[in-house]
Amino acid sequence: MHAMTMTTQTIFLLLLALAPLRMAAAGKNCPGVPWLGAVAACRKASSTKFIYDLCIRTMREDGVDMSPSHKQEVTAYIILATEDAANSYDSTQLVASNQLDQNASLPGPVRDAYEGCLNDYPAAEDSLDRVTEAMRSGCDFVGIADQYTSGMMSLENCRDRLLSLQQYKTPVYPMVLADRDKVSLAYMLAKLLGI
Ligand SMILES: *[C@@H]1O[C@H](CO)[C@@H](O)[C@H](O)[C@H]1NC(C)=O
C-alpha cells in the first residue's frame, strides 16, 4: 500500500541527501572566497545601477536561483559572467565576418575596421578563456586581474577602430559596447575575490 507515496518520499529524501553534494560542486571552498546570494553578489560588485541591472539580468537569463538563501561561491558567478561575455564576443565576431562576406556596400574603412576587429577579438576572448580555466581548476587567482585588463585592451582596440567611423553607423559598434559592459561586469564580480 501507498507504493506511490513511498517512492515519492524515497526520492525526496534522496534529493535532500544529495543537495549538499550539489552545493559543494557549485563552488570549490577556496579559502577566503565569499559565498553570496546572486543579488548580494551583484550589489557588492556593481558600482553603477547600469552594471547592477546587467548583473541581475545576466544571472536571471542563466537560470540562477535569485533567492537570498541560495548562496554560491562567488567564483560561480564570475565564471557565469565571463562565459556570458565570451558568448557575446562570438556573436559580435559572427556579425562582423558576415558583414565582410555579405555586405557588398561595406565602405573600405569599415571593411578595414572589421578586419582589425577580427584580429582583436580572439586575443580578447583568449583572456576570458584563461580566467574561466583558472576559476575552474583551483584557488589560485594570481594574474586574473591582468587577464581581464589585457583582454579589455584588445576589445578597446576594436572599439576605437569603430569609434573613428561613427559616420557609418556600423551594426557592430553597439555590439562591441555591449561586450565591453559584459566584461566589465565579469571583472567587477572577480574583484570580490580581492584581486
Ligand atoms: C552594410 O554596411 C553599412 C555600413 O556599415 C551599414 O550601414 C548597413 O547597415 C550594412 N547593411 C546590412 C544589410 O547589414
Side-chain angles (χ1 to χ4, degrees):
M1 68 174 215
H2 299 309
M4 281 292 276
T5 316
M6 280 291 284
T7 311
T8 312
Q9 273 180 357
T10 309
I11 290 172
F12 178 72
L13 288 173
L14 207 73
L15 285 176
L16 213 65
L18 287 174
L21 287 179
R22 285 189 298 119
M23 286 284 282
K28 300 184 306 297
N29 285 318
C30 291
V33 172
W35 285 62
L36 294 171
V39 175
C42 286
R43 195 178 303 124
K44 280 190 96 158
S46 307
S47 52
T48 62
K49 183 176 187 307
F50 178 82
I51 289 286
Y52 174 79
D53 290 344
L54 175 64
C55 185
I56 297 290
R57 206 178 328 125
T58 304
M59 303 282 172
R60 282 224 176 94
E61 282 170 4
D62 216 75
V64 171
D65 180 345
M66 304 300 283
S67 66
S69 60
H70 181 83
K71 293 184 167 51
Q72 293 193 80
E73 198 183 65
V74 294
T75 45
Y77 304 126
I78 300 164
I79 290 172
L80 189 151
T82 306
E83 286 184 337
D84 184 64
N87 288 337
S88 185
Y89 287 14
D90 286 342
S91 311
T92 305
Q93 290 174 89
L94 192 64
V95 170
S97 67
N98 283 346
Q99 284 284 314
L100 282 170
D101 291 344
Q102 291 159 16
N103 189 341
S105 59
L106 208 60
V110 177
R111 178 168 291 278
D112 291 347
Y114 285 174
E115 279 168 356
C117 282
L118 290 176
N119 280 322
D120 302 327
Y121 260 77
E125 195 155 2
D126 227 43
S127 298
L128 295 187
D129 291 345
R130 276 180 212 181
V131 170
T132 311
E133 207 173 301
M135 294 281 157
R136 286 193 192 287
S137 65
C139 299
D140 181 6
F141 305 124
V142 172
I144 296 274
D146 288 344
Q147 289 296 342
Y148 278 115
T149 47
S150 78
M152 282 161 103
M153 277 166 68
S154 300
L155 196 67
E156 283 163 5
N157 284 342
C158 169
R159 180 199 57 191
D160 293 346
R161 293 175 201 281
L162 297 171
L163 193 58
S164 64
L165 300 170
Q166 280 293 15
Q167 73 269 30
Y168 293 112
K169 293 235 179 293
T170 72
V172 175
Y173 183 63
M175 300 184 79
V176 176
L177 294 186
D179 289 344
R180 181 70 171 67
D181 295 334
K182 282 170 188 271
V183 68
S184 299
L185 168 62
Y187 188 20
M188 287 182 194
L189 283 165
K191 284 182 176 164
L192 296 178
L193 296 171
I195 61 167

